[in-house]
Amino acid sequence: MKILVTAAGSYGDVAPYTGLGARLQEAGHTVALAADASYAPLVRAAGLEFRALPADPRRAQGGAPGGQRELMRRAAAFVRELGPGIADAAAHGADLLLLSATTAPLGRHAAEAMGVPSLDLPLQPNAPTGDFPPAVAGTRSLGRRGNRAAGRLSLRVVDRLYADGVRDLRARLGLPPVSAGALRRRRNADRRTVLHGVSPALVPRPSDWRPGLELVGNWWPYTAPDAALPPALEDFLAAGPPPVFVGFGSMGAGARDDGTAARLTANVVAALRRAGVRGVIQAGWAGLGGPEGGDGPEGGTGYGPSGAGDDILTVGEVPHALLFPRTAAVVHHAGAGTTAAALRAGVPAVPVPVTADQPFWAARLAAVGAGTGPVPFRALAEGEGAPDLLAAAVTRAVREPAYRAAALGVARRMAAEDGAGEVVKAVEGEG
């Protein structure tokens, strides 16, 4: 089949679909992946056709003041840009659309207009359940009835967020007007399959989910067979004991402008040194590590604002699959992808959740015993006691063997899963 995958958002929202696309091509299908232009090299490196989506996820996240209302306004504007991009990507043709959580509320309309099937492939367990509250609503259980009610409410919030974008897209595609909520209810009624790219070793399948809602295991970012870490990073790894990785991914996009990056970097470096460990700091969207860190594929080889030292290396984007198994622990923002990558490597974690589903994943790490308690991102970026707080968590993760033992146990279970293979089976069932 000719398959179009659509994904939008941060690296962790897009990269897993490159590995999935490569598996589908190995099975004999032709795959295009539509995403923001910054991911074109990543998509093409996996051997997939790239189709551009115009919406910039960094602009949607931003760094401007305004709180939750401003964030929702930016997100709605992002959605309205995303709809025409999905329509344009689909106009090149496909027999099947595979949709991420971000693109599904729009991509279903493109599939309807094209008369082709679609399959939802979210990276979070986003269907209501009594087993736990919605992944984006924090970690406090409201009881079974309360959790289910909160799950339904979170879906209605998504409906509202996408309402203008859905209306505009359906008009563009020549489809009759219909509310997002009505479409969701119609889709639930037809009992279609939804495959979640989540390991049941980390999140047990909810006991009250209907048949067809499945947790099949992660699909992973494509890593070329001959891929290697940058030489400077290889040299650093060889020069001493395994370091602690620190990276916050797409968090803190506005940190470069308001000075947060410099404070955060200084606090991280101080914490690593107080814990007596070497460190690899990934620049990420916040630009950690100062001007020498960079955020290109090769990354930097220096360390920025708090003084040089051979115990710290700043890098740009590097394959987690190659780096994480060689680390002592991973300090991260608890995004779904990074959480899974650290567990896959059998490495303990220190979660530093910021927003959205990150507290949920931090709680799951603690529940399986593979992560320490969370370190608040705001405290790490602003608090005077931040280095001591992070140093204590890193010390526990590195020195207490129970964390690594638990992570290795989850890693063994994940190694037996084949999330991408389950998607291939479902796709060929659609055919």
Side-chain angles (χ1 to χ4, degrees), residues 270-294:
L272 294 175
R273 288 175 174 161
R274 289 178 195 182
V277 297
R278 303 193 313 145
V280 172
I281 299 177
Q282 187 172 60
W285 286 14
L288 301 186
E292 297 180 29

Side-chain angles (χ1 to χ4, degrees), residues 244 269-278 387 390-395 398-399:
V244 170
V269 171
L272 294 175
R273 288 175 174 161
R274 289 178 195 182
V277 297
R278 303 193 313 145
L390 181 59
V394 168
T395 299
V398 172
R399 310 294 181 203

